[in-house]
């Protein structure tokens, strides 16, 4: 593979373009480019409560940067070393390397966010 082709792929894969964000502080945006493949109720093992699970699949052509889906202030962050199980498998969200953040919205709401199932090197939460 020619070097220029590899360099072009890397630049395209790790790009981080600016996003237009609505003025509504209650807006909830997708945290990542891609296709929403699941929206369901799930048990959050960290907060020990029911939660809304939104799974987004990113292919190699999507922007691979993740953002907070709500306006918030991060209060705590955790890093969990782990495996690299195939991302579509349910067990990947508990066994893969991941990051997690607890945040508070301006209206006092609590927001917990898990990192990517298929964690990419250098990604931050």
């Amino acid at each position: 593979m020619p070097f220029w082709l590899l360099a072009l792929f890397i630049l395209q894969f790790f790009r981080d373009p600016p996003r237009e964000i609505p003025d509504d502080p209650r807006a909830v945006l997708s945290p990542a480019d891609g296709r929403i493949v699941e929206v369901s109720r799930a048990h959050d093992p960290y907060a020990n409560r029911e939660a809304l699970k939104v799974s987004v699949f990113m292919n190699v052509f999507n922007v691979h940067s993740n953002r907070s889906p709500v306006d918030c202030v991060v209060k705590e962050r955790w890093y969990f070393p782990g495996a690299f199980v195939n991302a579509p498998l349910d067990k990947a969200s508990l066994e893969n390397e991941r990051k997690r953040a607890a945040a508070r919205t301006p209206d006092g709401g609590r927001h917990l966010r898990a990192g990517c199932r298929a964690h990419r090197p250098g990604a931050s939460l």
Side-chain angles (χ1 to χ4, degrees), residues 34-94:
R35 189 177 76 239
I36 295 175
V37 293
E38 180 182 2
V39 177
S40 62
R41 291 269 174 209
H43 179 74
D44 183 337
Y46 305 102
N48 196 25
R49 66 178 176 121
E50 288 298 305
L52 182 63
K53 174 183 173 182
V54 179
S55 297
V56 179
F57 173 77
M58 295 184 289
N59 67 36
V60 296
F61 301 109
N62 293 123
V63 173
H64 277 67
S65 62
N66 291 272
R67 295 171 168 81
S68 175
V70 295
D71 182 21
C72 62
V73 175
V74 174
K75 298 295 186 180
E76 290 184 78
R77 294 185 307 173
W78 301 273
Y79 168 75
F80 302 94
F84 292 93
V85 176
N86 188 10
L89 300 176
D90 283 338
K91 67 181 182 176
S93 60
L94 294 176

Side-chain angles (χ1 to χ4, degrees), residues 8-9 20 32-33 40 52 62-63 65 69 85-87 89 95 113 116 120 122 125:
L8 186 63
F9 174 77
E20 189 173 317
D33 284 0
S40 62
L52 182 63
N62 293 123
V63 173
S65 62
V85 176
N86 188 10
L89 300 176
E95 293 182 16
R113 179 168 183 266
C116 301
R120 73 169 167 89
L125 183 65

